[in-house]
Amino acid sequence: MSAAVSRAFAADGPLSLAFPGYTPRSQQSAMAQAVAQAIETREPLVVEAATGTGKTLAYLVPALLSGQRTLISTGTRALQDQLFERDLPATRDALEIGGRIARLKGRSNYLCLYRMDQALDDGSLSPYLRRDLQRVRRWAGHTRDGDLAGVEGLQEDAPVRMQVSSTAENCLGQRCPRYEDCWVMDARRKAQAADVVVVNHHLLFADLALKDTGFAELLPGADIVIVDEAHQVPEIAGQFFGYAISARQLRELAGDSQREAEDAGLADAELVDALLAMSEAVDQLFRQLPHVGGRQAWESAFASAPALAALEALGAAQTTVCTRLDPLEQASDGLATCSQRAIVLNARLKTLISGEDIEHVRWAEVSRTNFALRSTPLVIADRFQASRAREPAAWIFSSATLAVDGRFDHFKREIGAETAREAEFDSPFDFDRQARLFLPAMPDPRAPDYRAAVIEQAAELIDASAGGAFLLCTSHAAVREYGQALRERVDVPVLQQGEQSKHALLHAFRTDGNAVLVGTQSFWEGVDVPGRALRLVMIDRLPFLAPSDPLLRARVEHLKAQGLEPFRDYQIPHAAMTLKQGAGRLIRGTEDRGVLVIFDPRIHRTGYGKAFLNSLPPFPVETDRLPILSFLREVSA
């Protein structure tokens, strides 16, 4: 296959004829050869390809040329859509290769006709929900794939999506009266028959976790598994190899159970009272949990006697619901599903309360309207390795941010792939011409005047760049403080995370061209603003996990027990990979120019700071503000 790959990437090859402006890149063709070798030898490959390498074509070409069944998993639904709708068809056409392609998303992305019918009959919905429901109903009459992304004007976080889609818990499966028209099953059938299937990480790991229990697999068996944006794997795998119970799940269970019982004429007082008691117990626990945001250690969340009492009361109320639903299982398929959901959630809650699973970490998170109680495995490496061993495929893990200071040890250890082959390919961008890294003189980040110093520096830099800036923060408190202060200091629009949806903020930022966006974690990666609209990226602190984070604390203790040094072997690599993601927002194309600013002085005052600096693109480094201000004015002219 090596010769065929070389021909594809040649200056006069099929890619050059199919893609306008195509120019051969040595990094891209070298990565394609590494992927081809991994496919032929069935050895796992971990590959870092910096922004601009063209990694998508580098893995698509050898996979398509191999003629083998391929599963491609991406980090987001947006990337999944881009691959399926644009990159994959264009590459296949360029190579003149046939075969069927399919896109498969999680079931919550598809219209469930049964649940839509139920929602249309629900007279308790708000006018806002009913308006969106009618929009979905009209769209349902002509959709070809049932993908809710096709509903014009419907945001990803629109509440109506929960009303008209199913979950693994509430789906009736073959017992559903609309089963023959099920869009989820239609998508799965197409995936089973396809040669190349594009999924996202959540679906991939939901499937791996399901196989772990011995149930039938969701995804077709594959000869090649390509995991793009692979730096997300440890976090997502932890979610799916663990378990959770949330207020939303319990509220939906109560509502669905009452509706199904009423439809069957079995909503007697005992059942209704039990469901009401469970809903009230959910609300009481929600009120008693600390509303501090982020991950909370189990011991902190339930430090108060009222919170513990509310948890016990919820457990008792849920057990009663199980008892009331059990004799109704035979009455209808809907009630049978509700009863099984109640049993599963009850078992999870009992395990969480007991704390008997010593291989997992218990924790809680509370939002404005929901809480979730979670149990996450301390280590996913063994389980993920076992899952991969059951799939005799060529596994390729690709991302722009996997190596730390030129080493892949951290990532490979996390996924249990210590023997995987490695490859690293630098960006073809001309960083000497395009960018600068500014490391200003700053106080210690623990000093009381640190944020004031950030504001002073940021305001001057924004004035020089005339906007077009991201300020990436490590906490929501910093976002609020910086956002408010900058609005008083600069003459360009300041957009602040939390005031609008992420989609709306990015649209406003791109449209304005001179705005400032202040955000935290969700803006560090997966955000692409090429061109002049983003010419200044500022990072307030090195993105270490908070010492109070329950997963960090548990993993620190686990690493110590393994004889490892947690700060060196986990905290630094994790933070360095996150910093690379944030820095990667700046230069997205050959014509982009701009400045990356890292305010945190630890990056050049500490010994471990070198690991961060050596992990970043080779920007020229500047510590003097005057050349940086001049460069920004030039870029912004």
Side-chain angles (χ1 to χ4, degrees), residues 202 205 230-242 295 363 374 376-377 380 411 414-415 521 525 545 549 551 555 570 574:
H202 286 83
F205 284 99
H231 61 277
Q232 299 177 2
V233 163
E235 179 78 18
I236 296 174
Q239 293 176 27
F240 285 93
F241 291 158
R295 296 168 176 163
W363 53 285
R374 302 186 182 277
T376 302
I380 63 134
F411 177 75
E414 287 227 286
I415 66 169
Q521 186 175 358
E525 66 173 290
L545 290 170
D549 183 277
L551 292 180
R555 284 169 180 158
Y570 182 77
H574 185 278

PDB file of all heavy atoms in Angstrom, residues 202 205 230-242 295 363 374 376-377 380 411 414-415 521 525 545 549 551 555 570 574:
ATOM      1  N   HIS A 202     -18.423   9.732  22.108  1.00  0.00           N
ATOM      2  CA  HIS A 202     -19.430   9.305  23.073  1.00  0.00           C
ATOM      3  C   HIS A 202     -20.102   8.009  22.615  1.00  0.00           C
ATOM      4  O   HIS A 202     -20.341   7.108  23.424  1.00  0.00           O
ATOM      5  CB  HIS A 202     -20.467  10.411  23.274  1.00  0.00           C
ATOM      6  CG  HIS A 202     -19.963  11.549  24.090  1.00  0.00           C
ATOM      7  ND1 HIS A 202     -19.215  12.573  23.543  1.00  0.00           N
ATOM      8  CD2 HIS A 202     -20.058  11.839  25.419  1.00  0.00           C
ATOM      9  CE1 HIS A 202     -18.886  13.433  24.498  1.00  0.00           C
ATOM     10  NE2 HIS A 202     -19.377  13.011  25.636  1.00  0.00           N
ATOM     11  N   PHE A 205     -17.535   4.976  22.904  1.00  0.00           N
ATOM     12  CA  PHE A 205     -17.324   4.436  24.248  1.00  0.00           C
ATOM     13  C   PHE A 205     -18.605   3.910  24.878  1.00  0.00           C
ATOM     14  O   PHE A 205     -18.554   3.012  25.722  1.00  0.00           O
ATOM     15  CB  PHE A 205     -16.632   5.479  25.123  1.00  0.00           C
ATOM     16  CG  PHE A 205     -15.177   5.593  24.812  1.00  0.00           C
ATOM     17  CD1 PHE A 205     -14.705   6.601  23.990  1.00  0.00           C
ATOM     18  CD2 PHE A 205     -14.286   4.645  25.272  1.00  0.00           C
ATOM     19  CE1 PHE A 205     -13.367   6.683  23.655  1.00  0.00           C
ATOM     20  CE2 PHE A 205     -12.950   4.709  24.942  1.00  0.00           C
ATOM     21  CZ  PHE A 205     -12.478   5.729  24.132  1.00  0.00           C
ATOM     22  N   ALA A 230      -7.866  12.413  19.724  1.00  0.00           N
ATOM     23  CA  ALA A 230      -7.718  11.328  20.695  1.00  0.00           C
ATOM     24  C   ALA A 230      -7.355  11.818  22.088  1.00  0.00           C
ATOM     25  O   ALA A 230      -7.478  11.056  23.060  1.00  0.00           O
ATOM     26  CB  ALA A 230      -6.656  10.342  20.203  1.00  0.00           C
ATOM     27  N   HIS A 231      -6.930  13.066  22.233  1.00  0.00           N
ATOM     28  CA  HIS A 231      -6.608  13.574  23.564  1.00  0.00           C
ATOM     29  C   HIS A 231      -7.833  13.563  24.480  1.00  0.00           C
ATOM     30  O   HIS A 231      -7.696  13.615  25.703  1.00  0.00           O
ATOM     31  CB  HIS A 231      -6.046  14.993  23.465  1.00  0.00           C
ATOM     32  CG  HIS A 231      -7.004  15.977  22.873  1.00  0.00           C
ATOM     33  ND1 HIS A 231      -7.179  16.125  21.520  1.00  0.00           N
ATOM     34  CD2 HIS A 231      -7.866  16.850  23.456  1.00  0.00           C
ATOM     35  CE1 HIS A 231      -8.098  17.054  21.295  1.00  0.00           C
ATOM     36  NE2 HIS A 231      -8.525  17.503  22.451  1.00  0.00           N
ATOM     37  N   GLN A 232      -9.030  13.488  23.905  1.00  0.00           N
ATOM     38  CA  GLN A 232     -10.253  13.469  24.706  1.00  0.00           C
ATOM     39  C   GLN A 232     -10.577  12.085  25.267  1.00  0.00           C
ATOM     40  O   GLN A 232     -11.470  11.949  26.106  1.00  0.00           O
ATOM     41  CB  GLN A 232     -11.437  13.952  23.865  1.00  0.00           C
ATOM     42  CG  GLN A 232     -11.310  15.368  23.339  1.00  0.00           C
ATOM     43  CD  GLN A 232     -12.486  15.752  22.456  1.00  0.00           C
ATOM     44  OE1 GLN A 232     -13.427  14.986  22.258  1.00  0.00           O
ATOM     45  NE2 GLN A 232     -12.430  16.946  21.894  1.00  0.00           N
ATOM     46  N   VAL A 233      -9.870  11.073  24.798  1.00  0.00           N
ATOM     47  CA  VAL A 233     -10.229   9.688  25.121  1.00  0.00           C
ATOM     48  C   VAL A 233     -10.252   9.394  26.624  1.00  0.00           C
ATOM     49  O   VAL A 233     -11.233   8.826  27.127  1.00  0.00           O
ATOM     50  CB  VAL A 233      -9.298   8.707  24.378  1.00  0.00           C
ATOM     51  CG1 VAL A 233      -9.352   7.306  25.001  1.00  0.00           C
ATOM     52  CG2 VAL A 233      -9.689   8.640  22.907  1.00  0.00           C
ATOM     53  N   PRO A 234      -9.218   9.732  27.414  1.00  0.00           N
ATOM     54  CA  PRO A 234      -9.262   9.361  28.833  1.00  0.00           C
ATOM     55  C   PRO A 234     -10.480   9.916  29.570  1.00  0.00           C
ATOM     56  O   PRO A 234     -11.119   9.216  30.362  1.00  0.00           O
ATOM     57  CB  PRO A 234      -7.954   9.948  29.386  1.00  0.00           C
ATOM     58  CG  PRO A 234      -7.034   9.975  28.213  1.00  0.00           C
ATOM     59  CD  PRO A 234      -7.911  10.339  27.042  1.00  0.00           C
ATOM     60  N   GLU A 235     -10.827  11.179  29.297  1.00  0.00           N
ATOM     61  CA  GLU A 235     -11.969  11.798  29.980  1.00  0.00           C
ATOM     62  C   GLU A 235     -13.279  11.120  29.584  1.00  0.00           C
ATOM     63  O   GLU A 235     -14.104  10.776  30.433  1.00  0.00           O
ATOM     64  CB  GLU A 235     -12.027  13.288  29.623  1.00  0.00           C
ATOM     65  CG  GLU A 235     -13.189  14.049  30.244  1.00  0.00           C
ATOM     66  CD  GLU A 235     -12.976  14.406  31.702  1.00  0.00           C
ATOM     67  OE1 GLU A 235     -11.810  14.376  32.162  1.00  0.00           O
ATOM     68  OE2 GLU A 235     -13.977  14.698  32.381  1.00  0.00           O
ATOM     69  N   ILE A 236     -13.496  10.907  28.296  1.00  0.00           N
ATOM     70  CA  ILE A 236     -14.764  10.333  27.824  1.00  0.00           C
ATOM     71  C   ILE A 236     -14.868   8.864  28.211  1.00  0.00           C
ATOM     72  O   ILE A 236     -15.933   8.394  28.609  1.00  0.00           O
ATOM     73  CB  ILE A 236     -14.908  10.537  26.311  1.00  0.00           C
ATOM     74  CG1 ILE A 236     -14.986  12.036  25.996  1.00  0.00           C
ATOM     75  CG2 ILE A 236     -16.134   9.823  25.770  1.00  0.00           C
ATOM     76  CD1 ILE A 236     -14.995  12.367  24.518  1.00  0.00           C
ATOM     77  N   ALA A 237     -13.770   8.141  28.108  1.00  0.00           N
ATOM     78  CA  ALA A 237     -13.792   6.728  28.510  1.00  0.00           C
ATOM     79  C   ALA A 237     -14.155   6.599  29.979  1.00  0.00           C
ATOM     80  O   ALA A 237     -14.909   5.692  30.364  1.00  0.00           O
ATOM     81  CB  ALA A 237     -12.434   6.086  28.240  1.00  0.00           C
ATOM     82  N   GLY A 238     -13.628   7.495  30.808  1.00  0.00           N
ATOM     83  CA  GLY A 238     -13.966   7.463  32.231  1.00  0.00           C
ATOM     84  C   GLY A 238     -15.451   7.627  32.471  1.00  0.00           C
ATOM     85  O   GLY A 238     -16.034   6.984  33.361  1.00  0.00           O
ATOM     86  N   GLN A 239     -16.106   8.489  31.676  1.00  0.00           N
ATOM     87  CA  GLN A 239     -17.546   8.689  31.820  1.00  0.00           C
ATOM     88  C   GLN A 239     -18.309   7.407  31.532  1.00  0.00           C
ATOM     89  O   GLN A 239     -19.246   7.048  32.252  1.00  0.00           O
ATOM     90  CB  GLN A 239     -18.025   9.781  30.862  1.00  0.00           C
ATOM     91  CG  GLN A 239     -17.506  11.180  31.161  1.00  0.00           C
ATOM     92  CD  GLN A 239     -17.961  12.167  30.106  1.00  0.00           C
ATOM     93  OE1 GLN A 239     -18.996  11.998  29.467  1.00  0.00           O
ATOM     94  NE2 GLN A 239     -17.165  13.212  29.891  1.00  0.00           N
ATOM     95  N   PHE A 240     -17.941   6.711  30.461  1.00  0.00           N
ATOM     96  CA  PHE A 240     -18.723   5.561  30.028  1.00  0.00           C
ATOM     97  C   PHE A 240     -18.336   4.268  30.722  1.00  0.00           C
ATOM     98  O   PHE A 240     -19.138   3.332  30.773  1.00  0.00           O
ATOM     99  CB  PHE A 240     -18.634   5.419  28.506  1.00  0.00           C
ATOM    100  CG  PHE A 240     -19.459   6.444  27.789  1.00  0.00           C
ATOM    101  CD1 PHE A 240     -18.900   7.631  27.377  1.00  0.00           C
ATOM    102  CD2 PHE A 240     -20.813   6.233  27.580  1.00  0.00           C
ATOM    103  CE1 PHE A 240     -19.656   8.595  26.741  1.00  0.00           C
ATOM    104  CE2 PHE A 240     -21.585   7.190  26.948  1.00  0.00           C
ATOM    105  CZ  PHE A 240     -21.023   8.372  26.527  1.00  0.00           C
ATOM    106  N   PHE A 241     -17.126   4.189  31.255  1.00  0.00           N
ATOM    107  CA  PHE A 241     -16.750   3.018  32.027  1.00  0.00           C
ATOM    108  C   PHE A 241     -17.188   3.167  33.487  1.00  0.00           C
ATOM    109  O   PHE A 241     -17.016   2.249  34.288  1.00  0.00           O
ATOM    110  CB  PHE A 241     -15.247   2.767  31.945  1.00  0.00           C
ATOM    111  CG  PHE A 241     -14.783   2.313  30.580  1.00  0.00           C
ATOM    112  CD1 PHE A 241     -13.468   2.474  30.192  1.00  0.00           C
ATOM    113  CD2 PHE A 241     -15.668   1.718  29.695  1.00  0.00           C
ATOM    114  CE1 PHE A 241     -13.035   2.056  28.934  1.00  0.00           C
ATOM    115  CE2 PHE A 241     -15.254   1.295  28.441  1.00  0.00           C
ATOM    116  CZ  PHE A 241     -13.924   1.466  28.059  1.00  0.00           C
ATOM    117  N   GLY A 242     -17.712   4.326  33.827  1.00  0.00           N
ATOM    118  CA  GLY A 242     -18.289   4.548  35.148  1.00  0.00           C
ATOM    119  C   GLY A 242     -19.807   4.533  35.060  1.00  0.00           C
ATOM    120  O   GLY A 242     -20.389   3.987  34.121  1.00  0.00           O
ATOM    121  N   ARG A 295     -16.767  19.898  39.785  1.00  0.00           N
ATOM    122  CA  ARG A 295     -16.784  18.614  40.473  1.00  0.00           C
ATOM    123  C   ARG A 295     -16.639  18.826  41.976  1.00  0.00           C
ATOM    124  O   ARG A 295     -15.793  19.578  42.424  1.00  0.00           O
ATOM    125  CB  ARG A 295     -15.643  17.729  39.985  1.00  0.00           C
ATOM    126  CG  ARG A 295     -15.726  17.326  38.527  1.00  0.00           C
ATOM    127  CD  ARG A 295     -14.414  16.701  38.099  1.00  0.00           C
ATOM    128  NE  ARG A 295     -14.468  16.209  36.728  1.00  0.00           N
ATOM    129  CZ  ARG A 295     -13.396  15.930  36.005  1.00  0.00           C
ATOM    130  NH1 ARG A 295     -12.188  16.102  36.530  1.00  0.00           N
ATOM    131  NH2 ARG A 295     -13.511  15.488  34.780  1.00  0.00           N
ATOM    132  N   TRP A 363     -18.283  11.234  43.145  1.00  0.00           N
ATOM    133  CA  TRP A 363     -18.283  12.691  43.170  1.00  0.00           C
ATOM    134  C   TRP A 363     -19.637  13.204  42.714  1.00  0.00           C
ATOM    135  O   TRP A 363     -20.495  12.435  42.274  1.00  0.00           O
ATOM    136  CB  TRP A 363     -17.149  13.259  42.326  1.00  0.00           C
ATOM    137  CG  TRP A 363     -17.060  12.779  40.905  1.00  0.00           C
ATOM    138  CD1 TRP A 363     -16.615  11.557  40.476  1.00  0.00           C
ATOM    139  CD2 TRP A 363     -17.409  13.509  39.722  1.00  0.00           C
ATOM    140  NE1 TRP A 363     -16.663  11.479  39.108  1.00  0.00           N
ATOM    141  CE2 TRP A 363     -17.129  12.659  38.612  1.00  0.00           C
ATOM    142  CE3 TRP A 363     -17.899  14.781  39.485  1.00  0.00           C
ATOM    143  CZ2 TRP A 363     -17.356  13.056  37.290  1.00  0.00           C
ATOM    144  CZ3 TRP A 363     -18.112  15.182  38.165  1.00  0.00           C
ATOM    145  CH2 TRP A 363     -17.853  14.319  37.098  1.00  0.00           C
ATOM    146  N   ARG A 374     -21.914  10.759  40.480  1.00  0.00           N
ATOM    147  CA  ARG A 374     -21.142   9.965  39.534  1.00  0.00           C
ATOM    148  C   ARG A 374     -20.126   9.065  40.232  1.00  0.00           C
ATOM    149  O   ARG A 374     -19.638   9.374  41.319  1.00  0.00           O
ATOM    150  CB  ARG A 374     -20.401  10.879  38.553  1.00  0.00           C
ATOM    151  CG  ARG A 374     -21.321  11.804  37.764  1.00  0.00           C
ATOM    152  CD  ARG A 374     -20.549  12.573  36.701  1.00  0.00           C
ATOM    153  NE  ARG A 374     -21.399  13.498  35.974  1.00  0.00           N
ATOM    154  CZ  ARG A 374     -22.173  13.171  34.948  1.00  0.00           C
ATOM    155  NH1 ARG A 374     -22.192  11.915  34.535  1.00  0.00           N
ATOM    156  NH2 ARG A 374     -22.917  14.073  34.337  1.00  0.00           N
ATOM    157  N   THR A 376     -16.584   7.233  38.864  1.00  0.00           N
ATOM    158  CA  THR A 376     -15.649   7.167  37.747  1.00  0.00           C
ATOM    159  C   THR A 376     -14.481   6.266  38.108  1.00  0.00           C
ATOM    160  O   THR A 376     -13.935   6.374  39.207  1.00  0.00           O
ATOM    161  CB  THR A 376     -15.112   8.585  37.419  1.00  0.00           C
ATOM    162  OG1 THR A 376     -16.220   9.431  37.109  1.00  0.00           O
ATOM    163  CG2 THR A 376     -14.150   8.556  36.248  1.00  0.00           C
ATOM    164  N   PRO A 377     -14.077   5.372  37.199  1.00  0.00           N
ATOM    165  CA  PRO A 377     -12.934   4.510  37.511  1.00  0.00           C
ATOM    166  C   PRO A 377     -11.653   5.318  37.689  1.00  0.00           C
ATOM    167  O   PRO A 377     -11.424   6.290  36.972  1.00  0.00           O
ATOM    168  CB  PRO A 377     -12.851   3.570  36.305  1.00  0.00           C
ATOM    169  CG  PRO A 377     -13.584   4.260  35.213  1.00  0.00           C
ATOM    170  CD  PRO A 377     -14.634   5.090  35.868  1.00  0.00           C
ATOM    171  N   ILE A 380      -8.571   3.827  33.561  1.00  0.00           N
ATOM    172  CA  ILE A 380      -9.318   3.215  32.453  1.00  0.00           C
ATOM    173  C   ILE A 380      -8.425   2.338  31.587  1.00  0.00           C
ATOM    174  O   ILE A 380      -8.908   1.633  30.713  1.00  0.00           O
ATOM    175  CB  ILE A 380      -9.973   4.293  31.580  1.00  0.00           C
ATOM    176  CG1 ILE A 380      -8.900   5.172  30.922  1.00  0.00           C
ATOM    177  CG2 ILE A 380     -10.965   5.116  32.359  1.00  0.00           C
ATOM    178  CD1 ILE A 380      -9.099   5.426  29.477  1.00  0.00           C
ATOM    179  N   PHE A 411       0.002   9.962  27.669  1.00  0.00           N
ATOM    180  CA  PHE A 411      -1.188   9.513  26.946  1.00  0.00           C
ATOM    181  C   PHE A 411      -1.211   7.994  26.818  1.00  0.00           C
ATOM    182  O   PHE A 411      -2.245   7.357  27.059  1.00  0.00           O
ATOM    183  CB  PHE A 411      -1.240  10.161  25.565  1.00  0.00           C
ATOM    184  CG  PHE A 411      -2.404   9.702  24.735  1.00  0.00           C
ATOM    185  CD1 PHE A 411      -3.693  10.163  24.998  1.00  0.00           C
ATOM    186  CD2 PHE A 411      -2.224   8.786  23.703  1.00  0.00           C
ATOM    187  CE1 PHE A 411      -4.767   9.723  24.240  1.00  0.00           C
ATOM    188  CE2 PHE A 411      -3.299   8.345  22.943  1.00  0.00           C
ATOM    189  CZ  PHE A 411      -4.572   8.825  23.218  1.00  0.00           C
ATOM    190  N   GLU A 414      -2.196   6.353  30.003  1.00  0.00           N
ATOM    191  CA  GLU A 414      -3.604   6.551  30.342  1.00  0.00           C
ATOM    192  C   GLU A 414      -4.525   5.599  29.586  1.00  0.00           C
ATOM    193  O   GLU A 414      -5.553   5.180  30.124  1.00  0.00           O
ATOM    194  CB  GLU A 414      -4.016   7.994  30.042  1.00  0.00           C
ATOM    195  CG  GLU A 414      -3.451   9.002  31.034  1.00  0.00           C
ATOM    196  CD  GLU A 414      -4.511   9.964  31.519  1.00  0.00           C
ATOM    197  OE1 GLU A 414      -4.905  10.839  30.749  1.00  0.00           O
ATOM    198  OE2 GLU A 414      -4.955   9.800  32.666  1.00  0.00           O
ATOM    199  N   ILE A 415      -4.205   5.266  28.338  1.00  0.00           N
ATOM    200  CA  ILE A 415      -5.099   4.403  27.556  1.00  0.00           C
ATOM    201  C   ILE A 415      -4.627   2.951  27.528  1.00  0.00           C
ATOM    202  O   ILE A 415      -5.232   2.113  26.846  1.00  0.00           O
ATOM    203  CB  ILE A 415      -5.268   4.923  26.115  1.00  0.00           C
ATOM    204  CG1 ILE A 415      -3.954   4.829  25.336  1.00  0.00           C
ATOM    205  CG2 ILE A 415      -5.822   6.354  26.113  1.00  0.00           C
ATOM    206  CD1 ILE A 415      -4.116   5.082  23.839  1.00  0.00           C
ATOM    207  N   GLN A 521     -13.217  26.672  30.032  1.00  0.00           N
ATOM    208  CA  GLN A 521     -12.816  25.382  29.472  1.00  0.00           C
ATOM    209  C   GLN A 521     -13.365  25.089  28.082  1.00  0.00           C
ATOM    210  O   GLN A 521     -12.639  24.621  27.206  1.00  0.00           O
ATOM    211  CB  GLN A 521     -13.239  24.262  30.433  1.00  0.00           C
ATOM    212  CG  GLN A 521     -12.738  22.885  30.026  1.00  0.00           C
ATOM    213  CD  GLN A 521     -13.081  21.844  31.061  1.00  0.00           C
ATOM    214  OE1 GLN A 521     -13.660  22.128  32.101  1.00  0.00           O
ATOM    215  NE2 GLN A 521     -12.731  20.606  30.778  1.00  0.00           N
ATOM    216  N   GLU A 525     -10.637  24.336  23.364  1.00  0.00           N
ATOM    217  CA  GLU A 525     -10.449  23.424  22.247  1.00  0.00           C
ATOM    218  C   GLU A 525     -11.727  23.329  21.425  1.00  0.00           C
ATOM    219  O   GLU A 525     -12.805  23.731  21.856  1.00  0.00           O
ATOM    220  CB  GLU A 525     -10.041  22.032  22.731  1.00  0.00           C
ATOM    221  CG  GLU A 525     -11.090  21.292  23.533  1.00  0.00           C
ATOM    222  CD  GLU A 525     -10.674  19.857  23.820  1.00  0.00           C
ATOM    223  OE1 GLU A 525     -10.644  19.060  22.862  1.00  0.00           O
ATOM    224  OE2 GLU A 525     -10.377  19.546  24.985  1.00  0.00           O
ATOM    225  N   LEU A 545      -5.314  21.257  36.988  1.00  0.00           N
ATOM    226  CA  LEU A 545      -6.573  20.925  37.646  1.00  0.00           C
ATOM    227  C   LEU A 545      -6.567  21.480  39.061  1.00  0.00           C
ATOM    228  O   LEU A 545      -5.530  21.523  39.729  1.00  0.00           O
ATOM    229  CB  LEU A 545      -6.763  19.408  37.686  1.00  0.00           C
ATOM    230  CG  LEU A 545      -7.048  18.722  36.346  1.00  0.00           C
ATOM    231  CD1 LEU A 545      -6.957  17.213  36.499  1.00  0.00           C
ATOM    232  CD2 LEU A 545      -8.422  19.115  35.816  1.00  0.00           C
ATOM    233  N   ASP A 549     -10.234  19.129  43.085  1.00  0.00           N
ATOM    234  CA  ASP A 549     -10.930  18.239  42.153  1.00  0.00           C
ATOM    235  C   ASP A 549     -10.881  16.804  42.678  1.00  0.00           C
ATOM    236  O   ASP A 549      -9.801  16.259  42.916  1.00  0.00           O
ATOM    237  CB  ASP A 549     -10.279  18.320  40.776  1.00  0.00           C
ATOM    238  CG  ASP A 549     -11.010  17.477  39.748  1.00  0.00           C
ATOM    239  OD1 ASP A 549     -10.748  16.262  39.694  1.00  0.00           O
ATOM    240  OD2 ASP A 549     -11.850  18.028  39.021  1.00  0.00           O
ATOM    241  N   LEU A 551     -11.435  13.863  41.310  1.00  0.00           N
ATOM    242  CA  LEU A 551     -10.741  12.889  40.481  1.00  0.00           C
ATOM    243  C   LEU A 551      -9.233  13.067  40.583  1.00  0.00           C
ATOM    244  O   LEU A 551      -8.480  12.083  40.656  1.00  0.00           O
ATOM    245  CB  LEU A 551     -11.189  13.022  39.026  1.00  0.00           C
ATOM    246  CG  LEU A 551     -12.632  12.617  38.729  1.00  0.00           C
ATOM    247  CD1 LEU A 551     -12.949  12.806  37.250  1.00  0.00           C
ATOM    248  CD2 LEU A 551     -12.890  11.177  39.127  1.00  0.00           C
ATOM    249  N   ARG A 555      -6.623  10.266  41.992  1.00  0.00           N
ATOM    250  CA  ARG A 555      -5.569   9.776  41.105  1.00  0.00           C
ATOM    251  C   ARG A 555      -4.183  10.069  41.671  1.00  0.00           C
ATOM    252  O   ARG A 555      -3.247   9.290  41.452  1.00  0.00           O
ATOM    253  CB  ARG A 555      -5.748  10.385  39.712  1.00  0.00           C
ATOM    254  CG  ARG A 555      -6.892   9.705  38.956  1.00  0.00           C
ATOM    255  CD  ARG A 555      -7.281  10.414  37.695  1.00  0.00           C
ATOM    256  NE  ARG A 555      -8.384   9.700  37.043  1.00  0.00           N
ATOM    257  CZ  ARG A 555      -9.231  10.241  36.177  1.00  0.00           C
ATOM    258  NH1 ARG A 555      -9.083  11.526  35.844  1.00  0.00           N
ATOM    259  NH2 ARG A 555     -10.198   9.523  35.644  1.00  0.00           N
ATOM    260  N   TYR A 570       1.519  13.144  36.097  1.00  0.00           N
ATOM    261  CA  TYR A 570       0.118  13.346  35.731  1.00  0.00           C
ATOM    262  C   TYR A 570      -0.258  14.814  35.593  1.00  0.00           C
ATOM    263  O   TYR A 570      -0.769  15.255  34.559  1.00  0.00           O
ATOM    264  CB  TYR A 570      -0.819  12.667  36.742  1.00  0.00           C
ATOM    265  CG  TYR A 570      -2.279  12.817  36.378  1.00  0.00           C
ATOM    266  CD1 TYR A 570      -2.828  12.028  35.376  1.00  0.00           C
ATOM    267  CD2 TYR A 570      -3.096  13.752  37.007  1.00  0.00           C
ATOM    268  CE1 TYR A 570      -4.164  12.166  35.014  1.00  0.00           C
ATOM    269  CE2 TYR A 570      -4.434  13.901  36.659  1.00  0.00           C
ATOM    270  CZ  TYR A 570      -4.961  13.103  35.657  1.00  0.00           C
ATOM    271  OH  TYR A 570      -6.267  13.257  35.291  1.00  0.00           O
ATOM    272  N   HIS A 574      -0.956  16.609  31.960  1.00  0.00           N
ATOM    273  CA  HIS A 574      -2.360  16.960  31.717  1.00  0.00           C
ATOM    274  C   HIS A 574      -2.493  18.446  31.425  1.00  0.00           C
ATOM    275  O   HIS A 574      -3.175  18.858  30.470  1.00  0.00           O
ATOM    276  CB  HIS A 574      -3.204  16.567  32.932  1.00  0.00           C
ATOM    277  CG  HIS A 574      -4.668  16.777  32.753  1.00  0.00           C
ATOM    278  ND1 HIS A 574      -5.263  18.010  32.925  1.00  0.00           N
ATOM    279  CD2 HIS A 574      -5.671  15.928  32.407  1.00  0.00           C
ATOM    280  CE1 HIS A 574      -6.562  17.913  32.692  1.00  0.00           C
ATOM    281  NE2 HIS A 574      -6.825  16.661  32.368  1.00  0.00           N
TER     282      HIS A 574
END
